[in-house]
Amino acid sequence: MRSAIIVSLLFMTGCVATPVNREFPAVPGSLTAACAALADVPVTDKLSVVLATVTQNYAQYRECSIRVDAWNTWYNEQKKIFDSVK
Amino acid sequence: MMWLLSFVPDFVYHLLLVLSIVAFAASYFLKMIPFVSANAEVVRIVSLAVMIFAVWMEGGIANEAKWKARVAELEIKVAAAEKAAVEANGKIETVYVDRVRVVKEVQYVVQARIAKDAARIDLTCRVDPEAIDILNQAARAGDKK
């Protein structure tokens, strides 16, 4: 009787696998583009040329800043969605 | 042992449990049957072992059912999350493209103004080369070498 109980106990092992595969979504390619380097002002004595380059750099900075903002928003949104599955 | 659940239908364990309980009870109450009375001890031991096994497998079946339900529930949630992720991607990309378009439009207007007023701007101001050097040095600060 005792050995029957011991043998029964030895068989009491088991494992459960939960096959639910998940992957964090891929970031859109437009958000991963590197920011371009700022343009140098050409050698000139004309303020209009300087102004054109400086404003072009401003625009480039704005574009890069928008991309970083979008990347952060993308990550925070996707993380919230990913973590909501429990 | 739980791998057995994949090969043997559940009803076999239900049947084993019922039969082992009946056999265990019979070893006590059906002593008038010659075979049972002669082998009562053996029947009791075997039926008890089968009963323990069957009860344990019943637990496994219940546990398996619980996990399968959990997996099904998670799969539904994952599918909903994947859909939400795709929608969020679309919205974020749209906002990004719109904002960049505005920057480019403003830049176009600014460049046009500079071109239009260049003569007036350049008339009263000459830029010293040192100023350009300072601007370029500031623009290159922190660049990769």
Side-chain angles (χ1 to χ4, degrees), chain B:
Chain B
M1 287 295 280
M2 282 302 142
W3 53 269
L4 276 173
L5 292 175
S6 311
F7 298 105
V8 184
D10 292 353
F11 78 88
V12 173
Y13 301 108
H14 305 324
L15 194 66
L16 270 181
L17 182 61
V18 172
L19 288 178
S20 62
I21 291 170
V22 170
F24 190 77
S27 70
Y28 282 102
F29 300 115
L30 297 180
K31 286 187 176 163
M32 68 289 286
I33 300 171
F35 174 79
V36 174
S37 60
N39 300 291
E41 191 69 17
V42 175
V43 169
R44 206 170 293 151
I45 290 169
V46 171
S47 63
L48 185 63
V50 172
M51 201 190 305
I52 290 170
F53 171 74
V55 165
W56 188 68
M57 291 309 280
E58 288 288 343
I61 289 167
N63 197 36
E64 184 85 351
K66 193 182 85 179
W67 278 107
K68 276 181 181 167
R70 176 87 177 116
V71 167
E73 182 195 338
L74 270 179
E75 278 172 348
I76 291 168
K77 283 184 181 175
V78 166
E82 280 172 357
K83 194 179 166 206
V86 170
E87 283 170 5
N89 261 8
K91 276 182 197 163
I92 291 163
E93 265 198 296
T94 304
V95 170
Y96 166 72
V97 169
D98 284 351
R99 289 183 69 192
V100 168
R101 199 190 63 235
V102 169
V103 168
K104 285 187 189 303
E105 283 170 2
V106 170
Q107 174 63 5
Y108 179 79
V109 171
V110 167
Q111 292 292 343
R113 267 189 73 187
I114 293 169
K116 185 172 142 271
D117 297 334
R120 192 153 54 95
I121 293 167
D122 296 336
L123 190 66
T124 53
C125 181
R126 304 202 80 75
V127 180
D128 191 284
E130 189 64 16
I132 291 172
D133 201 40
I134 290 168
L135 268 176
N136 288 341
Q137 188 186 358
R140 283 195 291 263
D143 272 5
K144 286 180 194 165
K145 304 217 172 176

Side-chain angles (χ1 to χ4, degrees), chain A residues 1 11-13 16 18 30 40-41 44-45 47-48 50 52 55-56 63 67 74 78 81 85-86, chain B residues 1 48 56 67 70 77 81 85 89 92-93 96 103-104 107 111 114 122 126-127 132 135-136 140:
Chain A
M1 176 70 83
F11 280 102
M12 288 189 181
T13 55
V16 177
T18 52
S30 55
D40 275 353
V41 180
T44 179
D45 61 352
L47 182 59
S48 61
V50 176
T55 54
Q56 181 195 325
E63 203 177 318
R67 194 177 307 148
W74 176 87
Q78 296 296 348
I81 292 168
V85 178
K86 282 175 187 164
Chain B
M1 287 295 280
L48 185 63
W56 188 68
W67 278 107
R70 176 87 177 116
K77 283 184 181 175
N89 261 8
I92 291 163
E93 265 198 296
Y96 166 72
V103 168
K104 285 187 189 303
Q107 174 63 5
Q111 292 292 343
I114 293 169
D122 296 336
R126 304 202 80 75
V127 180
I132 291 172
L135 268 176
N136 288 341
R140 283 195 291 263

